[in-house]
Every structure is written in C-alpha cells, then in structure tokens.
Amino acid sequence: IAGITQAPTSQILAAGRRMTLRCTQDMRHNAMYWYRQDLGLGLRLIHYSNTAGTTGKGEVPDGYSVSRANTDDFPLTLASAVPSQTSVYFCASSDILGANVLTFGAGSRLTVL
Amino acid sequence: QKEVEQNSGPLSVPEGAIASLNCTYSDRGSQSFFWYRQYSGKSPELIMSIYSNGDKEDGRFTAQLNKASQYVSLLIRDSQPSDSATYLCAGGGGGADGLTFGKGTHLIIQP
C-alpha cells in the first residue's frame, strides 16, 4: 500500500538523549515535511525539503535537524531532547512542488521526560 | 507571519443538519486552500481543496473561497455522527514551504 511510513509509533525518551524519527514514502513525491502537533497550538512546520539534497526551515526549527539523502527518506533528529519537544510528530509529502496537497503519515508520539 | 484562524469549538450540530465551518487567513499571497479532517489519535486526511473564488462541491461537502475577504468555509450537508472530528483549515502560497494550518474546529454531530 503506497503511503508514508513513520517510526517509531510511540517513544518515551529521557531529556538530553538523541532521537531520530524516521519517515519513508513510496509515492516518489518530491517534497517532504515534518510537522509537530500540540494541543491548542495546532500543526506547526518544523522543516521541509523540496527535493533530495535540499532542506529548509519551517516555523519551529530550533532543536531539530533533517536530512534528505534520497527521494524516499526524510529523518528528523533531536540532538538533545528537551521536555518541550514532547509532541506528536507528523511527516508529510506532496507530489508537485507548490501544489501543497499533503499526504500525512500516521504520526510518532514522543514523550520527553 | 502567516496565520490561519479558526474557531476551536466545539461546534455541535444535530444529525441531518448542515454543519458550517469557517476560517480566515492573513497571507494575501496564499493561493491554495484545504480542509483536512482529523479523528482523535489519527493523522489528518484531505477532504477538500479549493484554489479559486467561489464554491466547490464534492458529495456532501462544499468548500467556499472568498479571496477578497480572505475567508474559507466548509459546509457539510446531511451531517452524520461519523463526521464528528476536528477539521483543519490550511492555506499555502504555492511555494516550497508547505501549508499553514489553523488550530482546528472540533465538530460534534449529535445523533
């Protein structure tokens, strides 16, 4: 089934630890995105990528990094997790740059203690 | 800063009635608008997109866009209990930086 796969589904993490959330899509979409969703704040863009080899910062990029080595994978790394990064993280992709029709993964729930 | 505003609700509508969801946006450069539905604990799923002024209908759903007023709405006719969810309005400028989402409106359809 074509779509976006995120891993892990859920994770509890100690503050200060490094964590990578994985995102893989099999739709050959050129654009990929990472959003976080928090109660009362909605979905906020962390980082995005237009195509393999390029990335950009969204609304809330601090404390996060991404890479785009190929079309399919777009991992999000928290170098040193803090409790304020407790959130649900959604990876998304779109097929035509600028068309903005996003397809979302199932999400990764991260708790930082 | 780009903003998309929605009433958080909850909006309670009787089964079979029309549910009306509204959204305003700040960025006049936004060219595309979307309504996503999100069930509790699930990811957002696209239900409607609209790119030009006027109405767009798809089954029980009608999206309306008024760029002069910077206003987007979603009408759900013959509301069903399965329509109970949070509805996210989103806008995009056609660039590479994704969509700006509103905080969502929680819709409850009362049987």
Side-chain angles (χ1 to χ4, degrees):
Chain A
I1 298 176
I4 297 177
T5 301
Q6 290 186 237
T9 302
S10 181
Q11 181 76 45
I12 298 174
L13 186 67
R17 297 298 295 268
R18 181 184 179 89
M19 177 71 194
T20 295
L21 303 180
R22 301 183 298 277
C23 175
T24 299
Q25 54 109 353
D26 61 3
M27 298 175 284
R28 307 304 292 173
H29 286 177
N30 53 351
M32 297 186 75
Y33 310 87
W34 275 105
Y35 285 85
R36 61 178 289 175
Q37 187 173 39
D38 303 288
L39 193 64
L41 296 176
L43 281 162
R44 294 179 293 168
L45 182 65
I46 305 171
H47 284 288
Y48 63 91
S49 171
N50 301 340
T51 187
T54 68
T55 62
K57 294 182 179 180
E59 179 186 355
V60 288
D62 294 343
Y64 305 95
S65 64
V66 292
S67 62
R68 187 88 182 276
N70 56 60
T71 298
D72 299 341
D73 300 301
F74 191 44
L76 176 73
T77 297
L78 290 67
S80 179
V82 295
S84 62
Q85 293 177 310
T86 294
S87 187
V88 179
Y89 291 87
F90 288 103
C91 180
S93 69
S94 65
D95 58 350
I96 300 173
L97 185 62
N100 292 148
V101 179
L102 301 186
T103 300
F104 284 87
S108 295
R109 181 176 294 276
L110 182 65
T111 302
V112 182
L113 301 176
Chain B
Q1 184 170 347
K2 302 175 185 177
E3 293 183 341
V4 175
E5 300 287 343
Q6 297 180 253
N7 188 319
S8 62
L11 174 65
S12 187
V13 173
E15 182 176 358
I18 296 175
S20 178
L21 304 166
N22 304 312
C23 166
T24 59
Y25 61 94
S26 64
D27 181 16
R28 286 197 172 273
S30 295
Q31 300 174 12
S32 53
F33 301 89
F34 305 87
W35 285 98
Y36 284 81
R37 178 176 62 200
Q38 187 175 24
Y39 293 114
S40 180
K42 302 296 185 181
S43 59
E45 57 177 328
L46 179 70
I47 54 172
M48 288 290 288
S49 61
I50 187 165
Y51 301 95
S52 56
N53 280 329
D55 296 358
K56 179 182 177 182
E57 185 175 321
D58 184 2
R60 295 187 297 112
F61 299 97
T62 298
Q64 299 173 318
L65 173 61
N66 183 325
K67 290 187 177 181
S69 300
Q70 297 176 251
Y71 179 88
V72 190
S73 66
L74 179 71
L75 301 177
I76 306 174
R77 291 180 298 281
D78 188 23
S79 296
Q80 303 297 310
S82 59
D83 295 327
S84 296
T86 296
Y87 288 79
L88 307 174
C89 176
D97 55 354
L99 298 178
T100 299
F101 284 84
K103 296 176 183 178
T105 298
H106 184 204
L107 176 66
I108 299 171
I109 307 300
Q110 297 176 318

